Amino acid sequence: LYVNNANALKLAKGDLVLIIQMQGAEIKTTNDINFGAVSNINGAGLYEMIGVTAVDTVNNIITLDTACGGTGIKNGYRSAAHTQVVRVPQYNNVTVAATGKVIPAQAWDGSIGGIVALTVQNDAKIDGSIDASGSGFRGGTVHQGSGLFDITDYVSTVADNGAEKGEGVAGGIAEYTNLKVQYARGPAANGGGGGNAHNAGGGGGANGLAVDNAGNAKPWTGQGVMDQAVTGANAWKLDPGYIAAGNAFTDSSGGGRGGYTYGANKNDPVTVGPGQTAWAGDNRRERGGLGGRPLTQKPAQRLFFGGGGGAGDSNNSTGGSGGRGGGLLFLTAGTISGAGSLLADGAPGVGTTGAGNDAPGGGGGGGTVVAIGNKSFAGVSVSARGGAGGAQTI
């Protein structure tokens, strides 16, 4: 196995490594609702663990174990798709005290980071936490646009039309720029869409496919879940998403949808729906970033970071960036016990600042927790929730 810097990995014979390709999925790039759908997942998320038998730090070559019937690497990986090689510590026993916390060495930076992994031969007692929250795919960065009105695009190369999309398995801002798809409300795979001008909020990132109580997959619409318990919930009944769903509250897989565009006048949203001229400004249109698309989880084969949230549209320097997705936590032990927690939550979107008359960012999608207690698993809580959308603080 060729790596960029074998010396930096500090590997030795007998060590265990996690090999995982972070990105490389292909997406549809049409300027419509189909934008961002995964057309080919390719090697994104593929992973394996394998032992090390030798390390050549001069030529940056790691020799991997083929004993016990092994054949070396079972998957093909692309360096350009940001494949990571991570040393996995091996312990006889591990105790994380109530005041203790284990986190990734660094958050994902587009090339490395976002992963905390360890193997324990006997007992892992977790009274504190192992926490990969907010260390996954990056949220869209807020940019200053010129304040255009009535933008309908799903994809654009111009920041005036909408905000930056969140990162996901199809790449980040470098890949989006190369594809000419970096801005506007369409989500790029599991990365949330950016809010459209004028001042719509960013969409939330995503990870796994949601299912109903019967185990059936919930389809993606990008509209998120309309919370019926909030104050003023009847306002949803005037929303275009509600109407398009056959006058039903939306319950989409994937990330949540960003908020409406700028309305200059004060009205009652329970009686005056989105897009009505009574709002003035940009008429409070339904143009928020669409929620990231869900991915099909195959824990024994593919693992994913949570998608980054899309940024909010901003033209007055008060908008917010999208939140980071949750990272990857991998723990295997003989027994896992304790009163602590295993966490890979997404980070919240960034709220507006100052006068607040722009849009906040979408929350990051929940990451992935793989926890295997070969003999038993008891007491420890597990969470990989998506982050909340940022607050609009005007």
Side-chain angles (χ1 to χ4, degrees), residues 138-143 159 162-167 172-174 176-177 181-184 186 192-195 202-203 308-313 321-322:
R138 297 165 293 183
T141 300
V142 66
H143 295 275
E164 188 177 296
K165 304 176 190 297
E167 185 178 23
I173 190 60
Y176 298 165
T177 301
V181 300
Q182 61 266 49
Y183 303 112
D313 183 67
S321 297

Side-chain angles (χ1 to χ4, degrees), residues 163-164 184-187 191-205 220-226 236 239-241 250 252-262 274 284-292 308-313 320-322 349-350 358-364 387-392:
E164 188 177 296
R185 71 182 309 208
N196 276 13
H198 186 114
N199 295 164
W220 175 90
T221 65
Q223 295 289 323
V225 178
M226 290 181 173
W236 290 128
D239 187 277
T250 61
S252 172
S253 271
R257 191 194 78 200
Y260 304 101
T261 62
Y262 166 56
R284 190 174 169 265
R285 304 176 198 273
E286 187 270 283
R287 300 284 168 75
L290 297 180
D313 183 67
S321 297
V350 179
D358 281 320
Q392 210 278 348

Side-chain angles (χ1 to χ4, degrees), residues 255-331:
R257 191 194 78 200
Y260 304 101
T261 62
Y262 166 56
N265 295 333
K266 183 177 180 180
N267 290 292
D268 183 353
V270 174
T271 59
V272 182
Q276 300 299 307
T277 57
W279 292 104
D282 196 26
N283 294 338
R284 190 174 169 265
R285 304 176 198 273
E286 187 270 283
R287 300 284 168 75
L290 297 180
R293 295 174 182 270
L295 303 171
T296 301
Q297 288 276 17
K298 296 181 178 180
Q301 182 182 10
R302 296 180 191 264
L303 302 175
F304 305 109
F305 287 161
D313 183 67
S314 179
N315 68 298
N316 292 300
S317 301
T318 65
S321 297
R324 277 183 174 268
L328 169 61
L329 189 163
F330 193 105
L331 169 66

Side-chain angles (χ1 to χ4, degrees), residues 332-382:
T332 180
T335 66
I336 299 175
S337 64
S341 53
L342 305 176
L343 305 169
D345 295 335
V350 179
T352 57
T353 59
N357 53 340
D358 281 320
T368 300
V369 176
V370 178
I372 303 169
N374 290 308
K375 296 180 180 178
S376 64
F377 186 116
V380 178
S381 65
V382 178

